[in-house]
Amino acid sequence: MQTGGRQGPEIWLRGPVSLDDGPHAGAPETPERPSSIPTGIPTHIPASPRRFSWVATHGGTGVTTLATVYGGQDCGRDWPTPEDPPSILLVARTHAAGLAAVTRALELFRRGEAPPGLDLDAVVLVADAPGRLPRQLAQYIKSIESVIDVYRVPWVPSWRVGDLTGPPPRETDPLSRLTGTTRPPR
């Protein structure tokens, strides 16, 4: 089927988005093993935690708190500068306006209108209130999860009053692993 000069349906793949359009885009690079390393010397160097730029899709998302707790660059509502990590975590609250804002930001990446060189890694949704989400909002989140990885952050009363000294909530262990934040054992 051909529509407007393009063949087939437009497809959006789940996972990190790279704006690299080269012939090997998405193909993992295979590092060459130097032949001058003597045998018996370990060649595996542990990777340092990946750094992210936290980008708010609307005001009041909590990117400053998230960057403080999980590490990374707080970009506020701006795109990262060339000095900031190019890996993006889009942040929104779980209310209707927040979910609509993150959907608009995802659409920018889908259409290729985000600044070049940025990689969209995931969406982080921060609870807008304690308790369960209304059904309509939970369904909205499922539609977002169908196109990109979503990490959820629950309501944290101590964060509301500015106390960021405790460990991240247990429910955010996947986000802690992604960002390389260690959680002290209890």
Side-chain angles (χ1 to χ4, degrees):
M1 177 172 129
Q2 196 160 17
T3 311
R6 293 185 1 197
Q7 287 190 332
E10 186 171 44
I11 297 175
W12 185 348
L13 298 177
R14 181 182 167 99
V17 176
S18 175
L19 298 179
D20 220 311
D21 290 335
H24 301 289
E29 291 185 22
T30 307
E32 292 184 24
R33 184 182 186 114
S35 58
S36 62
I37 297 177
T39 54
I41 297 178
T43 58
H44 176 348
I45 300 170
S48 60
R50 189 164 177 198
R51 295 222 24 204
F52 293 93
S53 289
W54 300 88
V55 177
T57 58
H58 59 88
T61 62
V63 292
T64 301
T65 298
L66 294 171
T68 302
V69 172
Y70 297 98
Q73 180 64 40
D74 174 2
C75 292
R77 293 186 66 189
D78 297 324
W79 292 115
T81 66
E83 296 81 37
D84 297 330
S87 298
I88 304 291
L89 294 174
L90 289 176
V91 183
R93 289 286 178 166
T94 56
H95 49 60
L99 298 176
V102 79
T103 301
R104 285 189 301 273
L106 289 170
E107 186 65 14
L108 287 175
F109 274 93
R110 187 190 68 78
R111 290 191 316 250
E113 294 174 7
L118 297 180
D119 292 322
L120 176 57
D121 281 279
V123 166
V124 178
L125 296 177
V126 180
D128 66 309
R132 293 177 55 108
L133 283 172
R135 195 160 124 218
Q136 308 93 301
L137 298 178
Q139 290 172 335
Y140 201 160
I141 290 170
K142 282 186 184 208
S143 71
I144 295 169
E145 289 172 332
S146 72
V147 295
I148 191 162
D149 290 331
V150 173
Y151 294 86
R152 304 274 301 272
V153 177
W155 183 260
V156 182
S158 60
W159 290 0
R160 188 175 192 199
V161 295
D163 179 8
L164 307 179
T165 59
R170 187 174 302 279
E171 300 90 340
T172 66
D173 282 351
L175 180 59
S176 293
R177 283 191 296 278
L178 176 71
T179 59
T181 306
T182 55
R183 200 171 170 320
R186 290 188 175 181

